C-alpha cells in the first residue's frame, strides 16, 4: 500500500470510527444552543455534552468520554450557492481507555464549504491530540483536506494530508 492509499484508508477509518461513536440521549440540549439570523447569514452556537458517550475502535474496545464539544457554525447565501463555515473545539474532554488509562483530548476542527450549481468545494483542517496521563503515550492527529464534490456526488481531493504521531 503506497502512502496515498494509506492516507485515504486511514481517513476512511477515522470517518468510520467517528461514525461509530454513540452519543448519550442528552447529547445536545436546546438550552445550550443559540441561533441568530441577520442580513449577514445564520450563526449557530451549541454545546454538545459527551459525558458517558462511548467510542468503539476496530478491535471492539470501548472508550468512554466526558466533557463537551463547542460547535459554532455560520451559513450565508452567496450568488447561486451557500458559504458554510464551522468550528469545533474540545472543552474539558477526557477519554478513558478500557484498561483505565485516562487521556485528555485537546484540539479543534475547522471546516469551510462553498456550494455552487455544479457542485461544491471544501476544506477541512483538524488538529487533535490525546495527552496521556503519567507514563501513557501522547498521540497527535493532523488532517488537512481540500477538495470538491461534483454535481454527481463524486468527491475529488486536491490536497490531503494525514499525519498521526
Amino acid at each position: 500500500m503506497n502512502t496515498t492509499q494509506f492516507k485515504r484508508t486511514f481517513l476512511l477509518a477515522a470517518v468510520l470510527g467517528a461514525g461509530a461513536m454513540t452519543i448519550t440521549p442528552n447529547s445536545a440540549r436546546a438550552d445550550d444552543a443559540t441561533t441568530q439570523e441577520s442580513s449577514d447569514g445564520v450563526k449557530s452556537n451549541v454545546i454538545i455534552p459527551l459525558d458517558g458517550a462511548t467510542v468503539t475502535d476496530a478491535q471492539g474496545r470501548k472508550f468512554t468520554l466526558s466533557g463537551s464539544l463547542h460547535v459554532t457554525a455560520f451559513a450565508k447565501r452567496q450568488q447561486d450557492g451557500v458559504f458554510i463555515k464551522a468550528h469545533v473545539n474540545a472543552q474539558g474532554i477526557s477519554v478513558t481507555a478500557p484498561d483505565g488509562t485516562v487521556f485528555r483530548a485537546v484540539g479543534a476542527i475547522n471546516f469551510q464549504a462553498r456550494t455552487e450549481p455544479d457542485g461544491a468545494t471544501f476544506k477541512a483542517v483538524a488538529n487533535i491530540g490525546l495527552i496521556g496521563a503519567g507514563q501513557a503515550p501522547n498521540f497527535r492527529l493532523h488532517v488537512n483536506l481540500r477538495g470538491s464534490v461534483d454535481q454527481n456526488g463524486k468527491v475529488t481531493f486536491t490536497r490531503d494530508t494525514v499525519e498521526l504521531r
Side-chain angles (χ1 to χ4, degrees):
M1 179 180 295
N2 66 35
T3 302
T4 301
Q5 289 172 319
F6 173 79
K7 288 178 185 178
R8 292 207 172 120
T9 301
F10 180 81
L11 177 61
L12 177 61
V15 169
L16 292 174
M21 186 164 71
T22 304
I23 303 295
T24 54
N26 66 346
S27 59
R29 297 182 303 260
D31 58 342
D32 291 336
T34 60
T35 302
Q36 297 175 326
E37 291 185 47
S38 70
S39 59
D40 288 340
V42 177
K43 295 178 184 178
S44 176
N45 189 358
V46 66
I47 303 293
I48 302 172
L50 299 176
D51 294 336
T54 60
V55 176
T56 304
D57 71 6
Q59 286 80 35
R61 298 175 298 186
K62 285 192 176 189
F63 296 78
T64 305
L65 307 177
S66 65
S68 61
L69 292 174
H70 180 211
V71 181
T72 57
F74 172 77
K76 178 180 182 173
R77 283 197 158 283
Q78 290 185 330
Q79 299 166 8
D80 291 337
V82 177
F83 172 73
I84 302 165
K85 184 176 182 178
H87 174 79
V88 179
N89 70 304
Q91 292 189 328
I93 294 180
S94 65
V95 179
T96 304
D99 68 359
T101 303
V102 177
F103 296 87
R104 185 169 47 96
V106 297
I109 301 169
N110 291 294
F111 175 80
Q112 289 185 9
R114 189 174 313 274
T115 66
E116 298 169 358
D118 59 345
T121 58
F122 63 88
K123 64 180 177 178
V125 177
N127 285 300
I128 300 167
L130 287 176
I131 312 302
Q135 296 296 316
N138 297 333
F139 299 96
R140 179 175 177 263
L141 173 65
H142 174 77
V143 179
N144 189 351
L145 301 173
R146 289 181 189 258
S148 62
V149 181
D150 69 17
Q151 59 195 22
N152 297 318
K154 180 182 176 190
V155 178
T156 302
F157 291 103
T158 55
R159 176 180 182 177
D160 60 345
T161 305
V162 178
E163 298 175 56
L164 179 62
R165 294 187 226 167

